[in-house]
Amino acid sequence: MLMANKLSGLKPQDILVLMKIVALGEKTWRIADLAQESGVSPSEVCMALERARGVGLLDSSKRKVMKGPVLEFLKYGLKYVFPAHPGSVCRGVPTAHSAQPLAKAIVSEDSDQLVWPDENGEVRGQSIEPLYPSVPQAALRDPKLHELLALVDALRVGRAREQKMAAEELARRLSGGSA
């Protein structure tokens, strides 16, 4: 019983792992692949998969993302469970409305850029704490993952219009549109 309670609460890295699975699409993957590509340790990937299965975000095989429940959680729960608030200006990797796909639809001033802090980043903007420390590097390695995580951040920190656009784009991508 204690083990079940311990596994039921999601952690931020669980969202990173789920988005990596979505980014992979129909490609087969191993835990080692998810770990290497997301920057999350293999043991933590195993725990993330178990927690996601336990709350209904993965099927019983822990291989298939339950797209409806994932979208519902991202749209309605994420910003309350893993809130984000713009911080100080720094150099980093663009996120939320400052990254694709929203950057092409939302015109924003240079002073309104949002970034995950990263010393190698090429954009200056207000910092947003990433869901997990490895997010900026994982996003730079995988453009599809970057876009998914930026959409997730738009739900965490965006204004109403940005949240609506992000939710619509995530719904499209989760339902089989391009990821």
Side-chain angles (χ1 to χ4, degrees), residues 127-144:
S127 63
I128 296 293
E129 183 178 352
L131 284 168
Y132 194 73
S134 64
V135 161
Q137 292 305 310
L140 289 173
R141 284 191 296 271
D142 181 346
K144 287 182 182 181

Side-chain angles (χ1 to χ4, degrees), residues 9-142:
L10 289 178
K11 292 186 175 186
Q13 61 266 35
D14 303 352
I15 306 305
L16 170 57
V17 171
L18 285 170
M19 291 300 101
K20 183 59 190 178
I21 294 170
V22 171
L24 289 170
E26 297 299 317
K27 294 178 187 169
T28 54
W29 51 266
R30 299 172 308 140
I31 287 173
D33 300 328
L34 291 180
Q36 181 179 13
E37 294 173 24
S38 67
V40 176
S41 73
S43 63
E44 193 56 47
V45 168
C46 288
M47 294 300 291
L49 295 173
E50 188 60 36
R51 285 187 296 267
R53 186 207 51 80
V55 298
L57 301 181
L58 283 175
D59 72 350
S60 60
S61 72
K62 297 185 275 188
R63 289 282 175 183
K64 182 180 175 208
V65 173
M66 304 303 291
K67 295 172 181 181
V70 166
L71 183 60
E72 183 177 11
F73 173 72
L74 293 175
K75 284 171 61 175
Y76 303 113
L78 185 74
K79 68 181 177 182
Y80 300 108
V81 179
F82 307 120
H85 306 285
S88 60
V89 174
C90 68
R91 179 175 303 285
V93 177
T95 188
H97 69 271
S98 302
Q100 296 303 334
L102 295 182
K104 63 184 170 197
I106 296 175
V107 178
S108 60
E109 301 293 323
D110 287 346
S111 61
D112 193 30
Q113 300 299 304
L114 298 176
V115 299
W116 296 307
D118 185 278
E119 62 188 28
N120 298 318
E122 297 180 4
V123 175
R124 289 188 56 78
Q126 287 185 284
S127 63
I128 296 293
E129 183 178 352
L131 284 168
Y132 194 73
S134 64
V135 161
Q137 292 305 310
L140 289 173
R141 284 191 296 271
D142 181 346

